[in-house]
Amino acid sequence: MTTIRPLSHIEKTKPYVPGGKLHGAEGEVIMLASNENPFGPSPKAIEAMKGVAELVHVYPDPEYGALRKAIAEAQGIEDVSRVLVSAGSDEIIHLLTQAYAGPGDEVLFTEHAFSMYNVSALGHGATPVTVPETDFTAGANALLGGVTERTKILFLANPNNPTGTMMAVESLKHLQDSLPPHVILAVDGAYAEYVGESYEAELRDLVDRRPNTVMVRTFSKIYGLAALRIGWGYFPAELAATFQRIRPPFNINSFAAAAGAAAIADREFISMSREHNAKWRAIYVERLNAMGLPTPASSANFVIPDFGTEERAKAAHEFLKSRNVLVRAIGGYGLPTRLRITVGAERDNETVLALLAEFTASR
Ligand SMILES: Cc1ncc(COP(=O)(O)O)c(C=O)c1O
């Protein structure tokens, strides 16, 4: 035993719980626990990585100019200097919190919000504050009711993980307009591509409406690059300058930078992924509800059927695991009677739905 102790708020921080893997399973495994793209990455992203393989002895471009330009072009953003990249969008969440919220400050989000906001607030000594949702959906007025003089950042994933629900853009604007100027509105669009291109443009325009709004995005979901750890953000100029001050040098590697630039330019691959997801998301909602597992409509790439009790949800989770299917338990998000199922490839979706029909027929 040593007498070395971390800062007291670090001692209180619990680590993020990831979707996990099915260790020790034999045969084919169906992984639907982490909202990954069942098609993998765009073939163009893989080609781009091959192109940089022989250059790994040199550091990446410290400014990630090509990647940022590709993001700005794909998203119709004029000022590339306000597009910044990170090692996963988790890093943006952490750096924002590091820069703006510490002991004595509050970080605001809703009751079933993405758990990294809580981890990050605690990890920086700030106080997480949550407000209730209505029908699993964040509401602008509920969030405004949670704002105090000490609130520094309001995190809102839209669509949210794990609920899959979203706040309408008009309400987002109302929230943005009503926030006091000392609060940063960080809108996390990890699943924005699954809503559609016009919504992506609306999020971009939201950042341009006010100097208090940041858009956080990821390459881990529709772009199929979760293992490369790439996130990006669109910032107001002042916040971009702050972010640049604390961004670790070379925070993403050359493979990630090359793959990300190719992936975001491959609009065909993105549209194909979005259309597949929209089709299967609707099928899941319809068939799960028909099985007696109430499932709200989702705007993302996952659904959350309700098994009625925590025990039954656990039993379904174990049953699926015993058949080599991994989905996500979301008791840690305050939703213990539900499971989160990522929309997968057609055959895997059919398998999961057939297994759940078998489960509900007997239990
Ligand atoms: C809403 C939301 N934001 C951010 C992330 C983090 O993504 P990454 O760090 O892989 O970019 C996730 C991952 O599940 C998420 O669901």
Side-chain angles (χ1 to χ4, degrees):
M1 283 294 278
T2 85
T3 54
I4 301 168
R5 285 275 169 274
L7 299 174
S8 62
H9 63 264
I10 300 288
E11 276 188 315
K12 287 184 209 132
T13 306
K14 294 204 176 74
Y16 174 78
V17 182
K21 304 277 179 203
L22 259 184
H23 294 294
E26 279 176 26
E28 199 186 332
V29 165
I30 299 177
M31 299 292 295
L32 300 175
S34 297
N35 305 337
E36 295 146 343
N37 187 335
F39 298 107
S42 153
K44 291 182 180 158
I46 298 173
E47 275 310 303
M49 283 192 278
K50 288 182 190 159
V52 293
E54 289 182 16
L55 293 172
V56 293
H57 58 294
V58 292
Y59 282 99
D61 166 12
E63 295 303 324
Y64 298 108
L67 173 59
R68 290 164 65 202
K69 184 161 170 276
I71 294 170
E73 273 172 12
Q75 296 281 322
I77 293 173
E78 279 169 25
D79 186 355
V80 182
S81 73
R82 291 165 48 205
V83 173
L84 300 172
V85 293
S86 60
S89 52
D90 285 344
E91 190 178 54
I92 297 198
I93 295 165
H94 278 314
L95 292 176
L96 269 179
T97 314
Q98 182 187 332
Y100 294 101
D105 297 328
E106 293 173 358
V107 174
L108 179 64
F109 41 89
T110 62
E111 59 181 322
H112 305 303
F114 178 52
S115 62
M116 205 49 140
Y117 311 146
N118 187 56
V119 171
S120 197
L122 291 172
H124 292 93
T127 305
V129 174
T130 57
V131 296
E133 297 174 5
T134 305
D135 296 332
F136 306 111
T137 311
N141 290 335
L143 281 163
L144 289 167
V147 173
T148 72
E149 277 172 13
R150 297 192 295 173
T151 310
K152 291 293 165 62
I153 310 174
L154 188 174
F155 280 110
L156 176 70
N158 209 48
N160 180 46
N161 171 21
T163 54
T165 55
M166 63 186 291
M167 189 188 285
V169 174
E170 280 315 305
S171 303
L172 261 179
K173 287 183 186 165
H174 164 61
L175 175 62
Q176 186 186 43
D177 291 342
S178 311
L179 276 177
H182 65 275
V183 182
I184 293 174
L185 173 62
V187 181
D188 183 341
Y191 303 94
E193 296 85 356
Y194 290 109
V195 180
E197 279 179 9
S198 57
Y199 175 61
E200 291 189 75
E202 284 172 323
L203 278 190
R204 174 202 63 208
D205 293 346
L206 204 67
V207 179
D208 291 332
R209 278 181 90 234
R210 299 250 165 208
N212 69 341
T213 303
V214 177
M215 171 171 73
V216 183
R217 301 288 290 271
T218 182
F219 279 88
S220 300
K221 307 301 172 184
I222 208 165
Y223 303 102
L225 299 174
L228 293 181
R229 315 299 307 127
I230 327 169
W232 64 276
Y234 182 41
F235 293 73
E238 234 177 86
L239 274 64
T242 302
F243 188 89
Q244 285 288 47
R245 227 176 280 149
I246 55 170
R247 179 177 67 85
F250 309 111
N251 57 333
I252 64 177
N253 68 62
S254 303
F255 287 106
I264 204 162
D266 190 350
R267 305 315 293 173
E268 221 175 290
F269 179 85
I270 299 161
S271 299
M272 180 275 290
S273 301
R274 175 169 36 237
E275 279 160 31
H276 168 88
N277 183 70
K279 174 182 156 188
W280 275 98
R281 182 173 69 187
I283 294 174
Y284 264 111
V285 170
E286 191 190 321
R287 286 176 49 187
L288 290 169
N289 277 306
M291 267 176 226
L293 302 174
T295 306
S298 166
S299 298
N301 66 338
F302 49 84
V303 289
I304 51 164
D306 189 358
F307 291 81
T309 64
E310 185 170 350
E311 291 65 39
R312 191 158 175 248
K314 277 191 180 145
H317 196 205
E318 287 309 315
F319 171 73
L320 291 174
K321 269 196 216 169
S322 74
R323 302 297 184 92
N324 277 7
V325 176
L326 188 65
V327 300
R328 181 72 177 266
I330 47 176
Y333 282 90
L335 298 166
T337 65
R338 294 175 182 270
L339 296 175
R340 192 192 68 198
I341 306 173
T342 303
V343 172
E346 178 161 332
R347 197 167 66 114
D348 295 346
N349 297 331
E350 290 290 12
T351 302
V352 175
L353 285 165
L355 287 172
L356 287 175
E358 186 184 331
F359 177 83
T360 51
S362 61
R363 283 187 261 185

